[in-house]
Amino acid sequence: MSTLPTYRWRLAPDGLATRRQLRAMGLRPGGQGVVAEVCRPRRRRDPLVAYLYRIDLARPVRPMTPGRTAALAKAMRARRTCPVCRRDAGYCIPRSLGMCVPCSDSSC
């Protein structure tokens, strides 16, 4: 059991937000620690847990630089390139196949 305050789903106090909520506001946690958690109960499974951060301590999201944009484009290009035929598939190659769909279909 954690020592953090735990709130039920949708009952967190004002001034706290999850990472996704912070991102939607154009903010990031900015090095602050987790303040509380929110639990969403589920039937026959463990509850979903989301960590909450203080909005007043959050910092603005860092802007994208040209170097970061280029690195992201290179990584996405690598995910789209089939290792077998070396062509750009136009979509991210499924990790379950490990190759593009035409190469996967022809190897059967």
Side-chain angles (χ1 to χ4, degrees):
M1 186 104 189
S2 67
T3 60
L4 294 172
T6 303
Y7 301 101
R8 291 192 48 86
W9 193 251
R10 298 184 189 260
L11 296 177
D14 292 335
L16 299 180
T18 64
R19 281 182 178 268
R20 278 192 181 191
Q21 291 168 335
L22 287 175
R23 187 63 181 208
M25 293 182 247
L27 301 171
R28 62 186 170 97
Q32 66 173 304
V34 175
V35 179
E37 62 185 17
V38 135
C39 287
R40 179 179 179 196
R42 301 189 296 175
R43 276 188 255 159
R44 287 174 262 166
R45 291 188 283 179
D46 290 336
L48 290 175
V49 176
Y51 297 114
L52 299 172
Y53 301 90
R54 288 180 46 184
I55 295 173
D56 60 340
L57 297 179
R59 294 184 179 161
V61 175
R62 293 183 186 128
M64 280 295 263
T65 63
R68 288 174 65 192
T69 303
L72 182 60
K74 183 178 178 182
M76 291 306 292
R77 191 169 40 256
R79 289 184 64 192
R80 289 191 318 262
T81 304
C82 176
V84 177
C85 64
R86 297 282 184 212
R87 286 187 292 196
D88 186 347
Y91 54 87
C92 289
I93 305 289
R95 293 192 322 171
S96 60
L97 297 178
M99 59 186 83
C100 64
V101 175
C103 290
S104 175
D105 290 344
S106 66
S107 67
C108 290

